[in-house]
Amino acid sequence: MPGEGAVRLCASSKLSNGGRGVRFVVPSKTGLSVPAFAVRHQGRVHAYLNRCAHVPMELNLQEGRFFDLSGDYLICTTHGAMYEPADGRCIAGPCHGASLTALHVVEHADAVFWRPSPSQ
């Protein structure tokens, strides 16, 4: 079960390994909407706030494109920072060692859900 307060993001089939991601918004502590995204990497769905760890800009310039050309790493198309999809850690670029802010997502009944965490 996705859990209380879960929001359906998309059908599971919409996310393929290293392929296009799905954008969505989450509320911040101040109540404003913050952009986020979900992608699939090595069979698992991962979600992060859509904010580069270097400068708080959205990673993608083109809708749904968060991976580099190889489909192995998330990339900030503005600054070139590269992130590990599994944990959001920056492995190359101006924010090396920093991380994207991870969000809690679950797959259930062929759908992907975002679930708010207590710290959000």
Side-chain angles (χ1 to χ4, degrees):
M1 298 297 282
E4 187 176 330
V7 175
R8 186 181 188 278
L9 301 178
C10 64
S12 292
S13 62
K14 180 127 176 143
L15 299 176
S16 62
N17 285 318
R20 288 185 174 265
V22 172
R23 290 174 47 109
F24 60 103
V25 295
V26 297
S28 69
K29 291 178 183 178
T30 62
L32 299 174
S33 294
V34 178
F37 67 96
V39 292
R40 185 179 301 280
H41 179 70
Q42 295 183 347
R44 295 196 55 219
V45 175
H46 304 277
Y48 300 97
L49 290 183
N50 193 0
R51 250 189 273 182
C52 182
H54 171 231
V55 174
M57 297 179 67
E58 294 186 22
L59 271 67
N60 64 316
L61 292 178
Q62 294 182 353
E63 186 64 33
R65 296 194 182 237
F66 296 95
F67 282 100
D68 66 353
L69 294 176
S70 71
D72 292 329
Y73 300 100
L74 301 173
I75 187 166
C76 174
T77 54
T78 302
H79 304 111
M82 296 182 76
Y83 299 91
E84 286 284 354
D87 62 11
R89 184 176 45 87
C90 183
I91 58 163
C95 56
H96 191 269
S99 293
L100 299 173
T101 301
L103 300 173
H104 186 77
V105 288
V106 295
E107 278 191 277
H108 177 73
D110 296 323
V112 176
F113 296 85
W114 166 74
R115 187 171 58 204
S117 68
S119 63
Q120 287 178 314

